[in-house]
Amino acid sequence: MSTQPNTFPAPQTDDSEVSGVSLRALLLGLLLVVVLDSLAIYVRYIYHGSLMTYSHIPMAMLIGFTLMLFLGALISRATGVVLHASEWHTILCMGIVGAAIPCFGLSGYLIGYMATPYYFATETNAWDRYLHPYISSWLIPNNDAKAVTWFFEGLPGGAYVPWDAWFLPLLWWTSVVTAAFVVLGCVAVIFRKQWVQNERLVFPAMAPLIDMASGPGDGKSRLPEFTRNPLFWIGFWIAFVMIAWNCLNYFLPGFPRFPIYSGRWYWIDRQFPPIRGFLGLFTIFFSYFASLDVLLSIWLFDLLFIIEGGALNQMGLTAISPYYYRGVYYWQTKGAFVVLVASIFWVARRHLLEVFRKAINPGASIDDSNEPISYRTAVIGLLLGLFYMWIWLVRIGFDAVQAAGLLPAVIFTYVGMAKIIADTGMPYTNVPAGPWGLVAPFLGSHDVTPSTRVAMRFSNLINSHFKGLFLPALSHAGRVAEGIKNNRRKLMVAIVLAFIVSLMLSNLLTLYLGYRDGAYNFNSWEIVRAGERHFGGTATSVKNVLIKAPTKPVYVDHLDYLGFFGIGGGVMALLIYLRYRFVWWPLHPVGLAISGSYLARRTSFTIFAAWLIKLVMVKVGGPAIYGKSRPFFVGLLVGYIMGVALSTFIDIGWFPERGHVVHRF
């Protein structure tokens, strides 16, 4: 199903002669980055509206890119200056990468973590004893001159933003974030051909955006080419009218609304996990482009979590929270995830071997001329980036041996997250097992020193990001790059520029708004609450290791955890075997690898609805109808995007600081 042909008219211009990475494409890509960063940060922290960067396909990027396509068609019609499809692919690549940084991407957590240790320290939590002695002075800004206090509470009259207090910490953080970007960029290049050409992954989340970028317009119409199908406009108006109708409620309280936002947990029995009753339109739109076996697997294994988790709970085993996985079930999911990721490397083993041969011997047979960078550069960049990250971890207090074990686990985990997104296209998915969670079980409590515990908390910003940091975005950009037929080496320059501009703008704009309005008024998880909660847990663990008797590694004290890890891994191995052995096998292994995790639980009912809709469509209409309906679902997505944009602009104009959340998971 994923191989259905695109039913939109093909662009009339031959892009094989066009430089996709042109100067105008670079400038428009950077403009998109600036727009999406500013939109995401202002909507999140000032207007308190929709979640613009929480998903793997950030809404801020979608709004900016869609508006640029429509404006581009108008300008082309008026001036005759036409941007070719390959140039729009470049712009899209830059937007995807740039959108991975603001707010939930990185900058919100980074600024929040840097400001938290001093501002939230009290005599009660005793952070001055259990945190501050283990924090390097260059890692966070000093609060002696009220620099951090003013960030949370706003500048007093006549004071200036104390940029000097942030300069050195931001410099060092920027260095390690850049090293992480280099490492993950090299990993994305190394796996690009394997996933895009050898395994032919569908990248469902990119499918509608590639359709849009491939039909930008030819200068003969005021609208983009991808809109020239009646089904597109039917889908567009259905989605747009629902959100626009609900916007009337902003001005007329009590005005009837379409019930598309509300959700709640429904309990079957208090001993079993509940079902999240929420129909997420955004997830449904992307689910159309995913395969039926993926959709079936996700909701079916969520049902397994409800049944098995509840049964284990009744048996006295810790398995549910009660909403999400815990204890033995978490270890079962972890075992499944580890085996799934191991299979990713196993399937790619020949390609990876050829890549490393090419790095050693440029005359090796594998062709890397169409890759954004050569394989030799990718391998060298990977090794140098990892080496710098290791030095940085050791300098902030991490045990050298444990840091050396952590970094391969980071690559392992993030590759798994990127492959899951490339396979499923689910816009809301989190890493089911963090890198430190793969290392820590082999260590006793006194094997992890207080300095390592505090360093681990800080390094989680890059080593344990719930979305896989930059790798999913870079992998998506690698798929979009297929639309650029030449000059792909220049594409890496465009992506690096997008990263630099987004990182600088996101950090500086967040700091500026904090000092202007008081960051505590942001009322955001990533700036205000995440650091306070997480550092509180770190301080408690440091206290415990200092005053309590040492404990043994998890695999010694909790054989039940190890047993369920093995069960999860064994079942995953069986699912992988069945999928590759039997064409008719209906379950994708990914469902087990994310079963019980936070975002899988909250979107499972939506996935079930999407699966049911798609199943009926395929069974009743057949593959032909499914392929012809593609413009309808692209129209639904574009209508939804424009509806969210309308709601956002209404908030900016009429409801500042009292925004309405119309886009969420």
Side-chain angles (χ1 to χ4, degrees):
M1 266 165 245
S2 57
T3 59
Q4 289 295 332
N6 186 351
T7 58
F8 293 116
Q12 296 180 359
T13 304
D14 182 8
D15 274 355
S16 62
E17 303 296 328
V18 176
S19 174
V21 192
S22 62
L23 177 60
R24 60 186 182 181
L26 281 173
L27 294 176
L28 287 173
L30 292 177
L31 175 63
L32 175 59
V33 170
V34 171
V35 169
L36 72 87
D37 280 355
S38 303
L39 181 65
I41 291 170
Y42 271 94
V43 170
R44 175 65 177 163
Y45 301 140
I46 305 302
Y47 301 110
H48 306 294
S50 296
L51 299 180
M52 290 286 171
T53 60
Y54 195 80
S55 69
H56 288 279
I57 315 297
M59 179 53 64
M61 187 275 294
L62 292 174
I63 291 175
F65 184 67
T66 303
L67 288 176
M68 287 181 70
L69 280 169
F70 278 90
L71 289 173
L74 281 173
I75 294 172
S76 296
R77 180 71 175 85
T79 65
V81 178
V82 179
L83 260 71
H84 302 287
S86 59
E87 293 175 292
W88 283 107
H89 282 77
T90 298
I91 296 168
L92 179 57
C93 285
M94 296 176 71
I96 292 168
V97 174
I101 295 173
C103 302
F104 286 105
L106 177 69
S107 65
Y109 290 106
L110 175 59
I111 300 300
Y113 267 44
M114 292 171 68
T116 290
Y118 282 124
Y119 183 76
F120 288 98
T122 65
E123 292 184 4
T124 303
N125 60 34
W127 286 8
D128 60 332
R129 282 184 289 168
Y130 301 121
L131 281 182
H132 296 173
Y134 308 105
I135 301 176
S136 300
S137 60
W138 49 266
L139 196 61
I140 61 176
N142 193 288
N143 198 34
D144 290 345
K146 302 291 184 180
V148 176
T149 300
W150 290 348
F151 170 71
F152 279 106
E153 299 177 5
L155 284 172
Y160 296 95
V161 177
W163 296 111
D164 56 327
W166 292 86
F167 176 77
L168 185 61
L170 278 177
L171 178 65
W172 286 111
W173 274 107
T174 298
S175 72
V176 74
V177 169
T178 301
F181 180 81
V182 169
V183 167
L184 297 180
C186 293
V187 171
V189 169
I190 290 171
F191 275 94
R192 197 197 75 84
K193 179 177 285 189
Q194 172 66 24
W195 290 353
V196 174
Q197 298 179 10
N198 298 347
E199 298 183 37
R200 296 185 180 276
L201 300 183
V202 181
F203 289 83
M206 288 294 99
L209 302 182
I210 291 174
D211 284 348
M212 293 162 64
S214 299
D218 50 14
K220 299 178 181 179
S221 172
R222 294 183 178 88
L223 293 174
E225 198 168 347
F226 63 84
T227 66
R228 300 175 194 173
N229 187 306
L231 287 176
F232 171 89
W233 290 108
I234 294 173
F236 176 91
W237 288 115
I238 288 174
F240 181 78
V241 166
M242 282 195 296
I243 298 179
W245 176 277
N246 287 351
C247 289
L248 295 174
N249 183 266
Y250 304 169
F251 303 95
L252 302 171
F255 190 82
R257 304 178 1 148
F258 285 100
I260 59 176
Y261 310 135
S262 59
R264 54 169 292 190
W265 293 101
Y266 293 92
W267 297 85
I268 302 173
D269 183 277
R270 287 292 172 176
Q271 295 294 317
F272 289 79
I275 298 173
R276 176 70 175 175
F278 178 72
L279 197 62
L281 296 180
F282 189 67
T283 301
I284 287 181
F285 300 154
F286 282 104
S287 297
Y288 166 86
F289 300 94
S291 61
L292 279 171
D293 59 344
V294 166
L295 301 177
L296 173 63
S297 174
I298 292 174
W299 75 258
L300 189 62
F301 279 104
D302 185 69
L303 181 61
L304 171 69
F305 169 70
I306 294 173
I307 297 172
E308 182 186 352
L312 293 171
N313 187 47
Q314 288 184 321
M315 294 167 58
L317 293 172
T318 302
I320 61 176
S321 69
Y323 302 99
Y324 315 107
Y325 54 29
R326 283 184 64 196
V328 295
Y329 200 97
Y330 166 70
W331 278 81
Q332 177 176 297
T333 297
K334 182 189 288 190
F337 178 72
V338 167
V339 171
L340 176 67
V341 182
S343 74
I344 294 171
F345 284 90
W346 176 255
V347 169
R349 64 191 184 281
R350 292 188 178 88
H351 171 76
L352 296 177
L353 182 59
E354 289 179 348
V355 167
F356 282 97
R357 283 176 177 169
K358 186 74 171 182
I360 297 172
N361 176 19
S365 59
I366 189 171
D367 181 18
D368 62 356
S369 60
N370 282 328
E371 300 302 321
I373 57 176
S374 69
Y375 287 145
R376 167 172 281 191
T377 302
V379 171
I380 293 174
L382 172 65
L383 296 176
L384 291 178
L386 285 173
F387 181 64
Y388 181 81
M389 291 176 68
W390 177 79
I391 293 175
W392 192 89
L393 288 174
V394 173
R395 289 294 300 150
I396 68 171
F398 228 109
D399 177 86
V401 176
Q402 293 169 14
L406 175 66
L407 290 175
V410 172
I411 302 298
F412 184 85
T413 303
Y414 286 177
V415 166
M417 184 77 268
K419 178 67 181 299
I420 287 174
I421 302 302
D423 244 340
T424 68
M426 296 299 99
Y428 297 106
T429 311
N430 61 285
V431 175
W436 183 245
L438 301 180
V439 176
F442 300 97
L443 305 171
S445 62
H446 276 232
D447 294 327
V448 185
T449 64
S451 64
T452 295
R453 292 173 186 271
V454 175
M456 184 270 292
R457 174 52 58 201
F458 277 109
S459 68
N460 272 353
L461 291 168
I462 54 175
N463 291 336
S464 294
H465 196 281
F466 76 104
K467 292 198 300 182
L469 202 59
F470 310 122
L471 190 53
L474 289 164
S475 299
H476 282 147
R479 170 64 184 90
V480 175
E482 286 291 287
I484 303 171
K485 303 303 180 184
N486 51 30
N487 291 315
R488 285 189 190 162
R489 292 292 165 92
K490 292 183 180 179
L491 179 62
M492 183 55 73
V493 176
I495 289 174
V496 170
L497 285 174
F499 164 77
I500 294 172
V501 170
S502 184
L503 182 63
M504 293 179 61
L505 178 60
S506 297
N507 287 335
L508 296 179
L509 184 56
T510 301
L511 286 172
Y512 167 74
L513 292 177
Y515 282 107
R516 191 192 74 176
D517 298 338
Y520 207 87
N521 295 318
F522 292 173
N523 193 30
S524 66
W525 162 256
E526 65 274 23
I527 293 286
V528 179
R529 295 188 293 276
E532 182 183 16
R533 178 177 297 184
H534 294 159
F535 279 110
T538 301
T540 300
S541 70
V542 170
K543 179 180 179 180
N544 289 340
V545 79
L546 291 176
I547 67 176
K548 289 187 176 182
T551 59
K552 297 178 181 179
V554 169
Y555 71 89
V556 175
D557 284 344
H558 293 278
L559 293 178
D560 53 342
Y561 287 2
L562 198 61
F564 276 88
F565 181 91
I567 291 172
V571 174
M572 175 58 72
L574 177 61
L575 288 172
I576 293 172
Y577 170 78
L578 292 172
R579 178 170 175 78
Y580 283 98
R581 181 67 177 82
F582 302 105
V583 177
W584 53 264
W585 181 251
L587 291 179
H588 195 288
V590 71
L592 181 61
I594 61 176
S595 175
S597 61
Y598 179 76
L599 290 176
R601 291 249 57 223
R602 298 182 72 90
T603 57
S604 63
F605 181 78
T606 297
I607 299 300
F608 169 76
W611 169 81
L612 189 60
I613 292 170
K614 187 169 181 177
L615 179 67
V616 171
M617 181 186 298
V618 172
K619 295 298 183 183
V620 173
I625 296 298
Y626 170 77
K628 291 179 180 178
S629 66
R630 190 181 184 105
F632 173 77
F633 280 88
V634 174
L636 282 171
L637 176 61
V638 174
Y640 179 85
I641 293 168
M642 299 308 290
V644 175
L646 173 65
S647 175
T648 300
F649 295 145
I650 290 175
D651 284 343
I652 293 172
W654 283 274
F655 302 96
E657 301 181 11
R658 295 183 292 115
H660 300 83
V661 181
V662 299
H663 174 64
R664 60 188 177 194
F665 58 94

